[in-house]
PDB file of all heavy atoms in Angstrom:
ATOM      1  N   ILE P 286      -2.063  -6.768  16.055  1.00  0.00           N
ATOM      2  CA  ILE P 286      -1.641  -7.704  14.983  1.00  0.00           C
ATOM      3  C   ILE P 286      -1.969  -9.124  15.424  1.00  0.00           C
ATOM      4  O   ILE P 286      -2.673  -9.970  14.612  1.00  0.00           O
ATOM      5  CB  ILE P 286      -0.169  -7.723  14.868  1.00  0.00           C
ATOM      6  CG1 ILE P 286       0.293  -6.312  14.089  1.00  0.00           C
ATOM      7  CG2 ILE P 286       0.260  -8.743  13.884  1.00  0.00           C
ATOM      8  CD1 ILE P 286       1.732  -6.061  14.066  1.00  0.00           C
ATOM      9  N   GLU P 287      -1.773  -9.432  16.679  1.00  0.00           N
ATOM     10  CA  GLU P 287      -2.199 -10.730  17.143  1.00  0.00           C
ATOM     11  C   GLU P 287      -3.686 -11.025  17.149  1.00  0.00           C
ATOM     12  O   GLU P 287      -4.218 -12.121  16.800  1.00  0.00           O
ATOM     13  CB  GLU P 287      -1.709 -10.937  18.620  1.00  0.00           C
ATOM     14  CG  GLU P 287      -0.039 -11.082  18.545  1.00  0.00           C
ATOM     15  CD  GLU P 287       0.547 -10.962  19.942  1.00  0.00           C
ATOM     16  OE1 GLU P 287      -0.241 -10.703  20.888  1.00  0.00           O
ATOM     17  OE2 GLU P 287       1.709 -11.069  20.156  1.00  0.00           O
ATOM     18  N   GLN P 288      -4.528  -9.897  17.491  1.00  0.00           N
ATOM     19  CA  GLN P 288      -5.943  -9.940  17.600  1.00  0.00           C
ATOM     20  C   GLN P 288      -6.465 -10.180  16.136  1.00  0.00           C
ATOM     21  O   GLN P 288      -7.578 -10.921  16.010  1.00  0.00           O
ATOM     22  CB  GLN P 288      -6.578  -8.844  18.166  1.00  0.00           C
ATOM     23  CG  GLN P 288      -7.943  -8.827  18.442  1.00  0.00           C
ATOM     24  CD  GLN P 288      -8.479  -7.528  19.063  1.00  0.00           C
ATOM     25  OE1 GLN P 288      -8.190  -6.460  18.442  1.00  0.00           O
ATOM     26  NE2 GLN P 288      -9.361  -7.648  20.060  1.00  0.00           N
ATOM     27  N   ALA P 289      -5.987  -9.630  15.166  1.00  0.00           N
ATOM     28  CA  ALA P 289      -6.500  -9.757  13.725  1.00  0.00           C
ATOM     29  C   ALA P 289      -6.515 -11.078  13.240  1.00  0.00           C
ATOM     30  O   ALA P 289      -7.300 -11.452  12.499  1.00  0.00           O
ATOM     31  CB  ALA P 289      -5.649  -8.791  12.840  1.00  0.00           C
ATOM     32  N   GLY P 290      -5.547 -11.947  13.764  1.00  0.00           N
ATOM     33  CA  GLY P 290      -5.494 -13.376  13.221  1.00  0.00           C
ATOM     34  C   GLY P 290      -4.856 -13.412  11.911  1.00  0.00           C
ATOM     35  O   GLY P 290      -3.810 -13.968  11.619  1.00  0.00           O
ATOM     36  N   SER P 291      -5.637 -12.949  10.854  1.00  0.00           N
ATOM     37  CA  SER P 291      -5.117 -12.846   9.404  1.00  0.00           C
ATOM     38  C   SER P 291      -5.684 -11.740   8.684  1.00  0.00           C
ATOM     39  O   SER P 291      -6.531 -10.933   9.208  1.00  0.00           O
ATOM     40  CB  SER P 291      -5.486 -14.163   8.697  1.00  0.00           C
ATOM     41  OG  SER P 291      -6.872 -14.216   8.568  1.00  0.00           O
ATOM     42  N   ALA P 292      -5.176 -11.305   7.603  1.00  0.00           N
ATOM     43  CA  ALA P 292      -5.555 -10.316   6.769  1.00  0.00           C
ATOM     44  C   ALA P 292      -5.491 -10.584   5.327  1.00  0.00           C
ATOM     45  O   ALA P 292      -4.733 -11.474   4.910  1.00  0.00           O
ATOM     46  CB  ALA P 292      -4.675  -9.083   7.103  1.00  0.00           C
ATOM     47  N   ALA P 293      -6.312  -9.977   4.604  1.00  0.00           N
ATOM     48  CA  ALA P 293      -6.521 -10.397   3.140  1.00  0.00           C
ATOM     49  C   ALA P 293      -6.633  -8.933   2.278  1.00  0.00           C
ATOM     50  O   ALA P 293      -7.086  -8.006   2.932  1.00  0.00           O
ATOM     51  CB  ALA P 293      -7.581 -11.309   2.782  1.00  0.00           C
ATOM     52  N   MET P 294      -6.226  -8.997   1.029  1.00  0.00           N
ATOM     53  CA  MET P 294      -6.492  -7.790   0.263  1.00  0.00           C
ATOM     54  C   MET P 294      -6.733  -8.350  -1.271  1.00  0.00           C
ATOM     55  O   MET P 294      -6.349  -9.523  -1.583  1.00  0.00           O
ATOM     56  CB  MET P 294      -5.169  -6.916   0.354  1.00  0.00           C
ATOM     57  CG  MET P 294      -3.876  -7.417  -0.274  1.00  0.00           C
ATOM     58  SD  MET P 294      -2.534  -6.292  -0.172  1.00  0.00           S
ATOM     59  CE  MET P 294      -2.292  -5.985   1.520  1.00  0.00           C
ATOM     60  N   ALA P 295      -7.223  -7.305  -1.967  1.00  0.00           N
ATOM     61  CA  ALA P 295      -7.621  -7.609  -3.292  1.00  0.00           C
ATOM     62  C   ALA P 295      -7.502  -6.303  -4.278  1.00  0.00           C
ATOM     63  O   ALA P 295      -7.684  -5.247  -3.782  1.00  0.00           O
ATOM     64  CB  ALA P 295      -9.091  -8.190  -3.443  1.00  0.00           C
ATOM     65  N   LEU P 296      -7.032  -6.651  -5.471  1.00  0.00           N
ATOM     66  CA  LEU P 296      -6.915  -5.650  -6.474  1.00  0.00           C
ATOM     67  C   LEU P 296      -8.099  -5.884  -7.343  1.00  0.00           C
ATOM     68  O   LEU P 296      -8.192  -6.944  -8.049  1.00  0.00           O
ATOM     69  CB  LEU P 296      -5.586  -5.599  -7.300  1.00  0.00           C
ATOM     70  CG  LEU P 296      -5.465  -4.564  -8.376  1.00  0.00           C
ATOM     71  CD1 LEU P 296      -5.416  -3.111  -7.726  1.00  0.00           C
ATOM     72  CD2 LEU P 296      -4.116  -4.811  -9.187  1.00  0.00           C
ATOM     73  N   ARG P 297      -8.936  -4.882  -7.514  1.00  0.00           N
ATOM     74  CA  ARG P 297     -10.235  -5.057  -8.301  1.00  0.00           C
ATOM     75  C   ARG P 297     -10.697  -3.808  -8.969  1.00  0.00           C
ATOM     76  O   ARG P 297     -10.273  -2.763  -8.624  1.00  0.00           O
ATOM     77  CB  ARG P 297     -11.333  -5.761  -7.352  1.00  0.00           C
ATOM     78  CG  ARG P 297     -11.609  -4.806  -6.105  1.00  0.00           C
ATOM     79  CD  ARG P 297     -12.287  -5.613  -5.134  1.00  0.00           C
ATOM     80  NE  ARG P 297     -12.729  -4.910  -3.968  1.00  0.00           N
ATOM     81  CZ  ARG P 297     -13.113  -5.270  -2.689  1.00  0.00           C
ATOM     82  NH1 ARG P 297     -13.100  -6.751  -2.600  1.00  0.00           N
ATOM     83  NH2 ARG P 297     -13.458  -4.654  -1.715  1.00  0.00           N
ATOM     84  N   VAL P 298     -11.614  -4.072  -9.961  1.00  0.00           N
ATOM     85  CA  VAL P 298     -12.160  -2.923 -10.586  1.00  0.00           C
ATOM     86  C   VAL P 298     -13.729  -2.827 -10.155  1.00  0.00           C
ATOM     87  O   VAL P 298     -14.272  -3.898 -10.024  1.00  0.00           O
ATOM     88  CB  VAL P 298     -12.039  -3.055 -12.038  1.00  0.00           C
ATOM     89  CG1 VAL P 298     -12.885  -1.930 -12.821  1.00  0.00           C
ATOM     90  CG2 VAL P 298     -10.626  -3.036 -12.636  1.00  0.00           C
ATOM     91  N   ASP P 299     -14.162  -1.631  -9.815  1.00  0.00           N
ATOM     92  CA  ASP P 299     -15.453  -1.380  -9.374  1.00  0.00           C
ATOM     93  C   ASP P 299     -16.033  -0.317 -10.151  1.00  0.00           C
ATOM     94  O   ASP P 299     -15.713   0.945  -9.830  1.00  0.00           O
ATOM     95  CB  ASP P 299     -15.528  -1.106  -7.808  1.00  0.00           C
ATOM     96  CG  ASP P 299     -17.031  -0.896  -7.320  1.00  0.00           C
ATOM     97  OD1 ASP P 299     -17.845  -1.192  -8.128  1.00  0.00           O
ATOM     98  OD2 ASP P 299     -17.106  -0.452  -6.227  1.00  0.00           O
ATOM     99  N   GLY P 300     -16.781  -0.604 -11.278  1.00  0.00           N
ATOM    100  CA  GLY P 300     -17.203   0.518 -12.038  1.00  0.00           C
ATOM    101  C   GLY P 300     -16.183   1.340 -12.732  1.00  0.00           C
ATOM    102  O   GLY P 300     -15.387   0.824 -13.487  1.00  0.00           O
ATOM    103  N   SER P 301     -16.051   2.581 -12.506  1.00  0.00           N
ATOM    104  CA  SER P 301     -15.043   3.390 -13.011  1.00  0.00           C
ATOM    105  C   SER P 301     -13.792   3.582 -12.118  1.00  0.00           C
ATOM    106  O   SER P 301     -13.016   4.366 -12.409  1.00  0.00           O
ATOM    107  CB  SER P 301     -15.711   4.832 -13.418  1.00  0.00           C
ATOM    108  OG  SER P 301     -16.021   5.498 -12.179  1.00  0.00           O
ATOM    109  N   ALA P 302     -13.683   2.612 -10.990  1.00  0.00           N
ATOM    110  CA  ALA P 302     -12.710   2.882 -10.177  1.00  0.00           C
ATOM    111  C   ALA P 302     -11.757   1.632 -10.092  1.00  0.00           C
ATOM    112  O   ALA P 302     -12.265   0.536 -10.236  1.00  0.00           O
ATOM    113  CB  ALA P 302     -13.094   3.260  -8.792  1.00  0.00           C
ATOM    114  N   ILE P 303     -10.451   1.800  -9.831  1.00  0.00           N
ATOM    115  CA  ILE P 303      -9.554   0.782  -9.547  1.00  0.00           C
ATOM    116  C   ILE P 303      -9.353   0.801  -8.060  1.00  0.00           C
ATOM    117  O   ILE P 303      -9.062   1.787  -7.514  1.00  0.00           O
ATOM    118  CB  ILE P 303      -8.186   0.837 -10.296  1.00  0.00           C
ATOM    119  CG1 ILE P 303      -8.402   0.825 -11.708  1.00  0.00           C
ATOM    120  CG2 ILE P 303      -7.225  -0.293  -9.831  1.00  0.00           C
ATOM    121  CD1 ILE P 303      -7.248   1.041 -12.567  1.00  0.00           C
ATOM    122  N   GLU P 304      -9.502  -0.396  -7.275  1.00  0.00           N
ATOM    123  CA  GLU P 304      -9.378  -0.409  -5.866  1.00  0.00           C
ATOM    124  C   GLU P 304      -8.431  -1.504  -5.369  1.00  0.00           C
ATOM    125  O   GLU P 304      -8.465  -2.525  -5.905  1.00  0.00           O
ATOM    126  CB  GLU P 304     -10.742  -0.546  -5.256  1.00  0.00           C
ATOM    127  CG  GLU P 304     -10.783  -0.646  -3.679  1.00  0.00           C
ATOM    128  CD  GLU P 304     -12.108  -0.938  -3.179  1.00  0.00           C
ATOM    129  OE1 GLU P 304     -12.816  -1.927  -3.802  1.00  0.00           O
ATOM    130  OE2 GLU P 304     -12.477  -0.409  -2.114  1.00  0.00           O
ATOM    131  N   LEU P 305      -7.566  -0.996  -4.454  1.00  0.00           N
ATOM    132  CA  LEU P 305      -6.815  -2.001  -3.576  1.00  0.00           C
ATOM    133  C   LEU P 305      -7.507  -2.018  -2.275  1.00  0.00           C
ATOM    134  O   LEU P 305      -7.528  -1.094  -1.567  1.00  0.00           O
ATOM    135  CB  LEU P 305      -5.418  -1.606  -3.428  1.00  0.00           C
ATOM    136  CG  LEU P 305      -4.560  -2.459  -2.626  1.00  0.00           C
ATOM    137  CD1 LEU P 305      -4.376  -3.934  -3.238  1.00  0.00           C
ATOM    138  CD2 LEU P 305      -3.048  -1.872  -2.365  1.00  0.00           C
ATOM    139  N   ALA P 306      -8.115  -3.159  -1.926  1.00  0.00           N
ATOM    140  CA  ALA P 306      -8.930  -3.389  -0.754  1.00  0.00           C
ATOM    141  C   ALA P 306      -8.390  -4.217   0.241  1.00  0.00           C
ATOM    142  O   ALA P 306      -7.851  -5.199  -0.281  1.00  0.00           O
ATOM    143  CB  ALA P 306     -10.419  -3.655  -1.087  1.00  0.00           C
TER     144      ALA P 306
END
Side-chain angles (χ1 to χ4, degrees):
I286 295 174
E287 292 168 352
Q288 186 186 46
S291 67
M294 65 178 64
L296 179 66
R297 56 200 184 197
V298 177
D299 181 9
S301 59
I303 298 174
E304 179 184 40
L305 178 64

